[in-house]
Amino acid sequence: MTGPPDQPFRSLSGMRDVLAPESSRRRALVGEFAAVAGSAGYEEVVLPLVEDLGVFRRVGEATDVVTKEMYDFVDKDGTRIALRPEMTAGAVRAFVQHRPTLPWKVWYAGSNFRHERPQKGRYRSFDQVGVEVLGVDDADLDVEVIALGWRFYQRLGLRRIRLLLNSLGEHEDRVRYTEAVRRHLHARRDELSEAALETLERNPLRVLDSKRREDRAVIADAPKVAEHLSEDAAAHFARVRAGLDSLGIPYTIEDRLVRGLDYYRRTTFEYVADALDAAQNAVGGGGRYDRLAEDLGGPPTDGIGFALGVDRILLACDAESVFPAPSADMDAFVVDLVGGAAARDLTHLLRDAGMSADRRFGGGSMKSQMKSADRSGARFALIVGDDELAVDEVTVRDLRSGGEQRRVHRDQLIDDLRTHL
Ligand code: AMP
């Protein structure tokens, strides 16, 4: 087919374009995260956007994320693959494949895809930053990981974040607890919503996550996981709490916190932003997992991690009026009043000297070019007019000191600007 479409193309539902200045804010956010994680000894891991479908199937057989929301398809060679709905599974798959020295402490940033019903704070393509640590079974590591996320929110300036904490116990504890919850829900099935009944068949613990009003009373009466913890799991949890207390990180024990994916054990946690609407206020979450490395073909290995939702964190920053987009800080903007080679060569001279420089193409009046210079955020406007050109000079106007200006010879220009920047 040729010719223009009837309607201009638009991005797909739930997928967004991010333009400046929001794009630089995102980049800055990832930079802050890299700094916080880097200073705690975490190294970046870059993972593929797609994995063998089996990688995700293995880790979340009974979850909505994997059974209903995944973008999966058959590749040209017949392999069933999926766009990643989260990054833990890929990170552990990478661990199993490369077997790096333990402990393996990594951070990541990237897009994930879930075919959800789009609304504010819930998108089909969304970004996460996160960490994973493999090979350490120590409650102090749980404290390190939880504190790292906390420190990151603090560093962005967010003050209305709450940490919710729970322990799901060991695998066997979880199995016993799941059975107790299943029995409880079954006994009161007449009171539950349709959706909860459906979830009950597949994954009873997930019903505890239901936000539907009909389900609330039944959920409130459900057995508590704390009553099903083994001695070891209870001791581990006590040490995590003591660590957080000692660091002065406030938390609430939330015994309904079961998290979406199947693989969690012992510590689970979530960060909630009170500045956001309750329906979409989870800005991050994570926990300990086991069996994940084994399920993906590796040796039994302890793991813990979290993923934080970049899109929602930025909404929370808006709501708390913190972490604005960094200001564009161009060094110079070339205003070309003569046309021809002079402005071109001057711009490149500046860039070659390591300065940031932009220019207007196609001329225009002095007034409109000065407007562009202002908009660019440049410190100096470098004006090239006929007078200047005749004597090989440039007019340097300081845009941040009320328009003070001076004439400088081209040969001295770089040195001159350097002393003023
Ligand atoms: P989860 O793996 O579902 O716990 O996701 C971790 C974090 O990613 C959540 O706390 C959210 O902040 C964010 N997140 C998850 N799904 C979405 C989505 N569809 N749109 C935007 N953010 C999301």
Side-chain angles (χ1 to χ4, degrees), residues 173-190 192 196-208 218 221-224 228:
D173 304 345
R174 186 176 169 144
V175 170
R176 275 188 294 124
Y177 177 59
T178 306
E179 183 49 28
V181 170
R182 200 189 60 74
R183 263 188 274 121
H184 168 80
L185 296 175
H186 242 275
R188 293 182 55 183
R189 53 182 303 131
D190 296 347
L192 291 173
L197 285 174
E198 197 191 308
T199 312
L200 171 59
E201 293 312 313
R202 281 183 291 125
N203 191 345
L205 287 192
R206 290 288 289 153
V207 177
L208 302 184
V218 185
D221 297 340
K224 301 214 175 348
H228 293 78

Side-chain angles (χ1 to χ4, degrees), residues 353-374:
M355 293 179 186
S356 52
D358 201 0
R359 59 167 291 191
R360 248 287 271 275
F361 288 96
S365 71
M366 171 83 167
K367 194 168 160 211
S368 89
Q369 292 202 49
M370 285 308 293
K371 255 195 195 152
S372 303
D374 275 333

